[in-house]
Amino acid sequence: MTPHFTLAELTVTNHRSLSNIPDPPALVNLKRLAEFLELVKDRLGGRPIMVNSAYRSKAVNDACGSRDTSQHRLGCAADIRVPGMTPDAVVRAVMASGLAYDQIIREFDAWTHISIPNANAPRKMALIIDRAGTRPFS
């Protein structure tokens, strides 16, 4: 899809018995997401970005226990790790980057969820999700 992000990487799942093939609209979004991740990579000084999860079919999303409204379902979100950076540092760097992200979320202090807008203007929401619940990133 782009020099550093493949379709296989953006559709990988641990639920190997479940289909995770994106439909045509999700493929368009995944291309936009890959291009956006290239910009994030650039803003992070070229550091590698490891994708834990991006596109999720309904079956995969259900198996993950996620909501049907998840941006992963549309191909507009990725959960990432950046070796050598904490999730907090990734969130702060993306917030400071000027990039048009929709959401950036530090999840359980283990990874960073990042999404692009689907049809609307970017909300630029920065959040924390952990055992204490959901709250603004500060």
Side-chain angles (χ1 to χ4, degrees):
M1 301 202 97
T2 63
H4 299 101
F5 300 97
T6 66
L7 179 60
E9 181 179 20
L10 297 175
T11 58
V12 71
T13 178
N14 290 334
H15 300 280
R16 289 175 174 66
S17 63
L18 301 175
S19 174
N20 202 40
I21 299 170
D23 60 17
L27 277 172
V28 170
N29 287 336
L30 284 170
K31 174 73 171 154
R32 290 188 317 110
L33 180 63
E35 290 167 351
F36 182 78
L37 290 173
E38 292 287 351
L39 296 173
V40 172
K41 180 178 178 65
D42 181 63
R43 297 310 194 283
L44 299 179
R47 290 178 183 266
I49 293 177
M50 315 302 288
V51 177
N52 297 340
S53 175
Y55 174 76
R56 295 183 196 147
S57 66
K58 176 160 178 44
V60 170
N61 199 60
D62 289 350
C64 293
S66 190
R67 297 179 182 164
D68 278 338
T69 56
S70 169
Q71 290 173 301
H72 289 276
R73 291 277 297 113
L74 303 172
C76 289
D79 295 336
I80 62 171
R81 290 175 295 110
V82 179
M85 292 183 76
T86 65
D88 277 353
V90 173
V91 170
R92 284 188 184 94
V94 171
M95 289 173 65
S97 72
L99 293 174
Y101 64 90
D102 193 55
Q103 291 183 316
I104 185 94
I105 307 171
R106 184 193 82 197
E107 294 193 27
F108 301 97
D109 206 25
W111 65 86
T112 306
H113 168 99
I114 189 164
S115 65
I116 56 173
N118 184 26
N120 301 318
R123 296 177 290 174
K124 290 209 167 187
M125 294 175 66
L127 304 168
I128 295 171
I129 295 176
D130 58 20
R131 293 179 201 265
T134 303
R135 59 195 178 279
F137 185 89
S138 56

